[in-house]
Amino acid sequence: MRRLALAAGTALVLLGVSACGDSDDGRESANVIAPGAPGESSSPATADQIAALAEEQGHNEADVTYLVMMIEHHSQALEMTDLVEERYERDGIERIADRIAAAQGPEITAMESWLEENVFGPARENPAHQNFCGLEGDGSHHSGDGDIPECDLEVDHDEMQGMVSDEDMERLADAEGDDFDRLFVELMTAHHEGAVSMAVDALSEGKDQTVMRMANDLIAEQNTEIARMEAVLEDS
């Protein structure tokens, strides 16, 4: 079991904003501009305005938790689809497995990229970064004075809705033909329903717009797959 669950920490990624046009390393950095009232010119934002913008555009713990858990959730779905080729009976089962694999592999890559850009990368680059930790070393991530809490990134299968037990995965691996098809649909349907529930929670508790779009797309995609799986068995 891969363990990736998160300990609590500050999830806000502070925007790097400079009051001048160039940063110390010579690269141009963008100012945040506060629009003026009608008839007035815009001006650089105040520190309070910058903080408010960071709060509005940042992510929170629910966003990060959702992605870390969904990567593990998707990984198990791919393990299940890997079993299909040598065991299925209905052509519709193979087509569904191919669609699941084609969708969820790139989704894992997108989620990992978001975590690297917004969480792990900033944490590695700045030991004092007020954010979740990276996945290097022993998982510790403290500032010099120890104010930043340790991030112990773990995910337990029992904490994720719809995950298939080891025993059921063994049953699926041992099944063939019609028995395999029916068990695959049963387990994958429950797996999808769990993922949808997790995505609904992310939509209500998260705040990052990219993560929200990922969760919303997942709900539509997996509800469609559930209907397709039901139809495959009904057509037999």
Side-chain angles (χ1 to χ4, degrees):
M1 175 178 61
R2 186 166 49 159
R3 298 188 60 82
L4 284 171
L6 335 189
T10 304
L12 176 62
V13 177
L14 295 180
L15 301 179
V17 180
S18 171
C20 58
D22 295 313
S23 60
D24 292 340
D25 60 5
R27 293 176 297 180
E28 185 175 348
S29 59
N31 288 328
V32 175
I33 303 299
E40 297 179 0
S41 60
S42 298
S43 61
T46 66
D48 287 344
Q49 288 170 323
I50 292 170
L53 181 61
E55 179 67 25
E56 178 182 344
Q57 296 186 348
H59 61 270
N60 63 10
E61 182 177 355
D63 295 317
V64 180
T65 301
Y66 169 72
L67 293 185
V68 171
M69 295 179 77
M70 192 55 70
I71 288 169
E72 184 76 0
H73 207 270
H74 273 18
S75 296
Q76 187 183 62
L78 296 182
E79 292 176 18
M80 296 168 70
T81 61
D82 285 344
L83 297 173
V84 170
E85 184 175 358
E86 297 180 357
R87 295 169 176 81
Y88 78 95
E89 180 173 299
R90 298 166 179 80
D91 290 339
I93 294 294
E94 183 183 35
R95 289 194 295 270
I96 286 169
D98 288 345
R99 278 193 292 262
I100 291 171
Q104 296 195 20
E107 286 170 5
I108 289 174
T109 299
M111 290 185 282
E112 290 175 338
S113 296
W114 187 96
L115 288 169
E116 175 61 28
E117 179 179 353
N118 294 280
V119 181
F120 305 144
R124 283 196 303 271
E125 292 167 6
N126 180 6
H129 193 73
Q130 296 289 328
N131 208 329
F132 293 110
C133 307
L135 286 174
E136 294 185 351
D138 61 1
S140 300
H141 181 63
H142 295 273
S143 63
D145 57 9
D147 288 341
I148 298 178
E150 180 179 2
C151 289
D152 184 14
L153 298 173
E154 297 182 348
V155 164
D156 192 326
H157 283 192
D158 293 339
E159 298 174 355
M160 290 182 282
Q161 301 178 58
M163 290 293 284
V164 177
S165 67
D166 291 341
E167 293 78 9
D168 282 338
M169 284 293 290
E170 291 177 7
R171 288 174 56 212
L172 189 63
D174 291 340
E176 294 182 358
D178 181 70
D179 290 341
F180 176 85
D181 292 352
R182 293 184 181 279
L183 185 57
F184 178 85
V185 168
E186 175 190 337
L187 297 178
M188 190 63 81
T189 296
H191 199 269
H192 277 20
E193 289 171 345
V196 169
S197 294
M198 291 165 63
V200 169
D201 290 343
L203 287 176
S204 65
E205 299 170 5
K207 63 186 294 187
D208 181 86
Q209 293 304 303
T210 298
V211 176
M212 298 299 96
R213 285 193 296 271
M214 289 182 185
N216 199 53
D217 289 346
L218 181 146
I219 292 170
E221 166 197 308
Q222 301 217 354
N223 279 333
T224 299
E225 293 294 351
I226 289 171
R228 284 175 176 158
M229 288 188 285
E230 292 174 350
V232 166
L233 294 186
E234 290 172 358
D235 290 342
S236 60

